[in-house]
């Protein structure tokens, strides 16, 4: 049998029906490419110039409440607008359709200096509960068919403000990534009468080699088909379709595993670890979705150090994604990291 830890091979992602090329032998090559500069990480707890801090005036001219916990507001410069006519246009191969939606900003904390790994678990629970109410409120609108909750952390992920925050884009269409996952999970459920991720999680727990963290209700693992060097996925042990179905105990477990995972991320290169993360869950299109299984993706770009990132270029853009280190290696590295933040 070919040694997959040392030989090039492809791995299949059953959630999207796509492949990733794995080239573990390339991890030994020297690096003479671009290195990133590290942003200063000594922020104050309140910044009078920050448009997300409590009581400050935002770039759009509106004033934030003097909030003391989590805080949500409609994005002053949202990529989507709730008004407009529904229209499709087709002229040969030139096809378009209008999209409506609502974009909101979620401030995780009034403290400008905090990030998720530095917040308490009880405070992270407040963030999750706000996500729950926003999913329910936005998803209940008749023109909203999908609610995408996500966070961009760090300058190199395009984050325009260091204040701890995420975003919610609620759309009239189902965007491409959850659409692909929706299709794959529907097909699997129709054939097996159970969720794809439920069966996948059983297999991963039995193998153990890609598990990073586990608690009573959630598992953090490096997916077999991971693309980014230290990519992880959080999966609920119970096959809930969306975040609103989580019990109080499951919310507490979710907060626990998010904090522990993000602490490990920061400890990996002893830096405030950048990533894009997002929750994938059932559409809000009024249909029943028993095939959906709540999960959360973390896509961090750092590869070898705090200043060396992976780029998606060349073959990745023209053919398919490629990674050097294996999922098993990444999981082992993350699993063995301490759970006490390096700055403490």
């Amino acid at each position: 049998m070919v040694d997959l830890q040392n030989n090039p091979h492809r791995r299949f992602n059953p959630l999207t029906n796509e492949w990733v090329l794995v080239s573990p032998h390339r991890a030994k090559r020297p690096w003479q490419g671009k290195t990133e500069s590290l942003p200063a990480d000594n922020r104050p707890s309140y910044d009078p110039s920050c448009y997300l801090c409590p009581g400050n005036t935002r770039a759009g001219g509106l004033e934030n409440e003097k909030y003391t916990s989590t805080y949500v507001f409609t994005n002053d410069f949202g990529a989507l607008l709730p008004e407009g006519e529904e229209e499709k246009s087709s002229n040969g191969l030139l096809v378009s359709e209008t999209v409506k939606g609502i974009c909101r900003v979620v401030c995780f904390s009034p403290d400008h200096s905090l990030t998720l790994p530095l917040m308490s678990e009880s405070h992270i629970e407040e963030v999750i509960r706000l996500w729950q109410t926003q999913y329910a409120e936005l998803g209940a609108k008749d023109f909203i068919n999908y609610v995408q909750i996500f966070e961009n952390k760090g300058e190199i992920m395009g984050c325009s403000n260091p204040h701890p925050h995420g975003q919610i884009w609620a759309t009239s269409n189902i965007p491409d990534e959850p659409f692909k996952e929706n299709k794959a999970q529907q097909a699997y459920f129709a054939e097996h009468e159970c969720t794809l991720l439920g069966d996948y999680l059983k297999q991963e727990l039995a193998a153990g080699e890609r598990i990073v963290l586990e608690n009573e209700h959630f598992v953090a693992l490096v997916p077999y088909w991971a693309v980014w060097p230290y990519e992880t996925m959080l999966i609920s042990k119970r096959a809930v379709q969306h975040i609103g179905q989580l019990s109080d105990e499951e919310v507490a477990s979710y907060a626990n595993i998010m904090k522990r995972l993000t602490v490990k991320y920061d400890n990996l290169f002893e830096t405030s670890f950048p990533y894009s993360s997002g929750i994938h869950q059932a559409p809000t299109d009024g249909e029943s979705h028993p095939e959906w299984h709540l999960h959360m993706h973390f896509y961090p770009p750092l590869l070898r150090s705090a200043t060396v990132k992976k780029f998606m270029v060349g073959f990745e853009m023209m053919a398919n994604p490629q990674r050097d280190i294996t999922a098993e290696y990444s999981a082992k590295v993350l699993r063995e990291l301490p759970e006490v933040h390096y700055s403490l």
Side-chain angles (χ1 to χ4, degrees):
M1 180 177 290
V2 175
D3 178 9
L4 297 186
Q5 299 304 309
N6 293 292
N7 288 279
H9 60 281
R10 294 200 305 164
R11 297 192 182 192
F12 181 66
N13 180 348
L15 269 177
T16 60
N17 289 314
E18 296 171 338
W19 292 85
V20 56
L21 172 64
V22 184
S23 311
H25 57 292
R26 277 170 51 88
K28 301 181 179 69
R29 77 189 194 280
W31 179 260
Q32 292 183 317
K34 178 177 173 57
T35 59
E36 303 291 334
S37 58
L38 292 176
D41 199 29
N42 54 348
R43 302 191 305 273
S45 59
Y46 170 75
D47 182 348
S49 67
C50 170
Y51 55 80
L52 296 183
C53 277
N56 288 359
T57 301
R58 301 199 297 270
L62 298 176
E63 189 174 284
N64 294 326
E65 295 177 11
K66 294 183 178 179
Y67 62 95
T68 58
S69 181
T70 54
Y71 176 58
V72 63
F73 62 88
T74 299
N75 196 322
D76 302 318
F77 303 98
L80 299 161
L81 299 173
E83 303 85 14
E85 297 294 324
E86 293 186 11
E87 181 179 286
K88 292 186 178 182
S89 174
S90 178
N91 179 13
L93 295 176
L94 310 179
V95 180
S96 65
E97 65 178 21
T98 56
V99 180
K100 295 196 296 182
I102 299 170
C103 296
R104 289 182 175 167
V105 177
V106 178
C107 296
F108 297 158
S109 169
D111 190 329
H112 184 79
S113 68
L114 294 183
T115 55
L116 285 177
L118 296 174
M119 290 167 57
S120 67
E121 289 182 25
S122 61
H123 201 158
I124 298 174
E125 284 185 48
E126 293 176 8
V127 175
I128 296 169
R129 294 193 188 284
L130 184 58
W131 287 342
Q132 288 179 311
T133 58
Q134 288 294 300
Y135 176 84
E137 177 189 328
L138 294 168
K141 297 183 183 297
D142 58 5
F143 67 96
I144 295 299
N145 289 308
Y146 196 78
V147 178
Q148 182 59 66
I149 299 168
F150 65 97
E151 177 194 6
N152 294 321
K153 177 174 179 261
E155 290 182 1
I156 66 173
M157 299 309 294
C159 183
S160 60
N161 189 305
H163 192 101
H165 74 284
Q167 298 186 58
I168 303 174
W169 290 15
T171 63
S172 58
N173 68 310
I174 301 177
D176 285 355
E177 290 304 309
F179 182 84
K180 287 185 286 189
E181 291 193 2
N182 189 62
K183 187 175 181 180
Q185 290 178 102
Q186 280 182 336
Y188 192 90
F189 192 87
E191 180 177 354
H192 301 280
E193 297 185 346
C194 56
T195 67
L196 185 159
L197 283 179
D199 279 357
Y200 171 66
L201 186 56
K202 290 177 185 175
Q203 191 169 350
E204 286 288 24
L205 287 170
E209 60 185 340
R210 285 171 293 274
I211 304 297
V212 177
L213 291 165
E214 179 183 1
N215 63 22
E216 185 178 0
H217 299 290
F218 278 85
V219 174
L221 54 82
V222 178
Y224 182 74
W225 54 83
V227 170
W228 295 95
Y230 291 96
E231 176 181 333
T232 57
M233 182 163 58
L234 302 184
I235 308 175
S236 62
K237 288 186 176 180
R238 186 167 68 95
V240 298
Q241 283 72 60
H242 59 77
I243 196 170
Q245 294 175 336
L246 294 177
S247 67
D248 289 344
E249 292 78 13
E250 286 168 326
V251 167
S253 284
Y254 193 2
N256 168 266
I257 208 161
M258 266 206 294
K259 179 177 175 64
R260 294 165 63 198
L261 177 63
T262 54
V263 165
K264 282 180 176 287
Y265 272 152
D266 278 12
N267 286 345
L268 178 59
F269 298 130
E270 294 194 350
T271 190
S272 185
F273 202 77
Y275 58 74
S276 280
S277 67
I279 299 170
H280 278 169
Q281 54 193 327
T284 58
D285 55 1
E287 302 293 327
S288 173
H289 287 283
E291 73 279 357
W292 265 89
H293 193 135
L294 175 72
H295 58 286
M296 184 176 191
H297 297 282
F298 282 80
Y299 299 144
L302 296 185
L303 175 59
R304 295 173 179 231
S305 71
T307 60
V308 175
K309 65 175 282 192
K310 175 177 175 60
F311 291 89
M312 287 290 187
V313 295
F315 189 86
E316 289 97 341
M317 295 179 71
M318 305 301 168
N320 64 249
Q322 180 270 341
R323 65 180 284 133
D324 292 348
I325 59 177
T326 64
E328 295 74 32
Y329 174 83
S330 297
K332 182 177 185 296
V333 170
L334 291 172
R335 188 168 54 244
E336 293 178 353
L337 288 168
E339 294 185 25
V340 175
H341 198 272
Y342 74 92
S343 66
L344 300 178

